[in-house]
Amino acid sequence: MTASSPALSTRRRWAALAVLVLAVGLLAIDGTVLYLAVPSLTRDLAPTATQVLWIGDIYSLAIAGLLVAMGTLADRVGRKRLLLIGSTAFGAASALAAFAPSAEILILARLLLGVAGATIMPSTLSLIRTLFPEARERSRAIAAWSAAAGGGAAVGPLVGGALLEHFWWGSVFLVNVPVVIVLVIAGTVLLPEAKDPEPGRLDVLSVVLSFAAVMPLVWSIKHAASEGVDALAVGVLALAVLAGLCFVRRQARLVADGRGPLLDVGLFKIPAFSGAVAANLIAIFALTGMLFFFSQYLQLVRGYSPLVAGIAELPATIASIVVVVVVGWSITRFGRGPAIALGLGVTALGMVAIAVAEGADHYAWLALALVPAGLGVGLAMTLTTDAVVSAVPPAKAGGASAISETAYELGVALGVAVLGSLVTLGYQARVALPADLTAGDRAQAGDSLASAVAVAGERADVLDAAKEAFVASLQVACVVAAVLTAVAALVAWRLIPAEGKNAR
């Protein structure tokens, strides 16, 4: 049972939705706005390739690890209150990141941003359910929420490009501060409070186990990709699996004892629910994993300025936002499950097209390839979020929302970690540097493309070798993402019902 304020007017409800869309859009933009800043912060902070990956994915990793715990906390202290507290902390962490003097401090700031973001994210979908009790209005509201999440992730590089054209790399974080101020003021005025009047006791052990299952998982993948599969990688992966198993057993025990679990793992027994969660995770996995190094490709391989590179990614941004217009038609025409499968299938084709176009001379081919990728991911994200909420009874919608958001953020983190590590490993294995380079320059140039550009200076042979290795590695990563997305499309087709389709 949820305690909430009295029913609000239609205008007030949609104005409140605008605040929630701003919140989720801010988090999504901050997940990808950094991509175009990697070359410039590499020059200033000199991070290693592994540190670059940590800077990119620790934000989403922290959110993914803490979402379920923060969702439970929101039920206790109030979703509006936690959203406002988290937003304030997010602004403070953004200022720290903007003026970070070293790679280590920037990684710490990104971690704090993730912790603050985890307090914001669970409140958004829960408050949407409070604001829109009617199913049709709620579907439209969720479509706007999904567009903000997908569009924000896609528009992040454009925002970053515009800022980097005129300011230093820290501006991509500092711009969050005025947005947070608007968010806190508008949220205080417009959002209703909502919380569970009988939430039960927070199980601290479950919180620890949930986080311990996520962090070692991603770390082991990154370590194996950069250092090879060694005893340390296997040991840490085993720790993640053990923590995950203990977490599941702990939730079952809490249910048996009549206590509220941190996460209702029984939801995954519903095929439509588990299929939607898997499809959501893989869709964002493919998009963010590709975008992280695609922005570097546009700048370092094609020679675009940060702003031009952001504009060059605009076709995917526009396509992912335009999805809001076709969501209703796609459900009516195909049904929810087949429509999700269609979106994922289109994404897979787009990824393959991007891999091919990366070797083309003219940008026009890349622009055409980005459209189906953005369109497919936008459609899949919107419909999977709706499917997750619709696949469970209303009493379990809060837990379902937390799982959906966790899958989204875990997809971001794993996309950067897995596909990013695949690109890094492929580059390091393929790059054929000139023999006359010093040992120090060879080691630096062989670490990453950004480092090779810094070492090369006017040497075209070093630049050509580095660019060739990077493009080949990025193409492989795009094809891998396409294969995984195609598998997710098959899963969605088989597991998620064709609800909403007009009878013929």
Side-chain angles (χ1 to χ4, degrees), residues 2 28 72 195 219 223 228 232 299 315 317 324 328 349 389 418 441 459 486:
T2 301
T72 303
K195 59 182 178 180
W219 186 92
H223 180 81
L232 181 59
Q299 291 181 81
T317 305
V324 177
L349 292 176
V389 174
V418 176
D441 286 347
R459 293 198 55 172

Side-chain angles (χ1 to χ4, degrees), residues 4 46 76 99 125 162 182 186-187 200 206 209 216 222 243 248 257 289 344 355 404 406 414 445 454 467:
S4 61
R76 287 159 173 75
F99 298 103
L125 273 180
V182 173
S206 294
L209 288 173
K222 286 159 36 64
V248 172
D257 292 343
L344 291 169
S404 175
T406 301
L414 290 177
K467 290 178 180 179

Side-chain angles (χ1 to χ4, degrees), residues 82-302:
L82 190 63
L83 186 149
L84 297 179
I85 292 173
S87 297
T88 303
F90 194 89
S94 296
L96 175 62
F99 298 103
S102 66
E104 291 80 7
I105 297 298
L106 182 55
I107 291 172
L108 173 62
R110 290 282 285 172
L111 173 62
L112 295 176
L113 280 168
V115 174
T119 67
I120 300 171
M121 198 74 171
S123 299
T124 54
L125 273 180
S126 298
L127 284 172
I128 285 176
R129 289 189 63 83
T130 301
L131 289 166
F132 299 96
E134 197 271 323
R136 180 173 298 180
E137 278 196 337
R138 186 168 62 247
S139 295
R140 292 170 56 197
I142 290 176
W145 182 92
S146 299
V155 84
L158 179 59
V159 173
L163 291 170
L164 293 169
E165 192 77 7
H166 303 287
F167 306 102
W168 93 114
W169 60 264
S171 62
V172 302
F173 298 111
L174 198 59
V175 72
N176 292 339
V177 176
V179 177
V180 165
I181 293 173
V182 173
L183 176 60
V184 171
I185 294 174
T188 301
V189 174
L190 295 172
L191 293 177
E193 184 56 282
K195 59 182 178 180
D196 189 341
E198 300 177 359
R201 189 175 66 181
L202 177 66
D203 187 62
V204 178
L205 180 57
S206 294
V207 174
V208 174
L209 288 173
S210 65
F211 196 75
V214 175
M215 285 288 286
L217 171 64
V218 177
W219 186 92
S220 63
I221 294 171
K222 286 159 36 64
H223 180 81
S226 60
E227 305 294 335
V229 179
D230 53 18
L232 181 59
V234 173
V236 173
L237 178 60
L239 176 63
V241 173
L242 178 62
L245 292 175
C246 290
F247 176 79
V248 172
R249 290 174 61 88
R250 178 70 178 173
Q251 304 318 294
R253 182 176 301 173
L254 291 174
V255 172
D257 292 343
R259 298 166 56 190
L262 185 68
L263 176 66
D264 185 2
V265 294
L267 293 174
F268 288 95
K269 296 179 180 179
I270 304 173
F273 178 86
S274 57
V277 170
N280 192 355
L281 188 153
I282 295 178
I284 198 62
F285 170 99
L287 177 65
T288 56
M290 183 271 295
L291 282 180
F292 184 74
F293 278 99
F294 187 71
S295 297
Q296 296 180 55
Y297 160 82
L298 291 174
Q299 291 181 81
L300 300 179
V301 176
R302 291 198 171 250

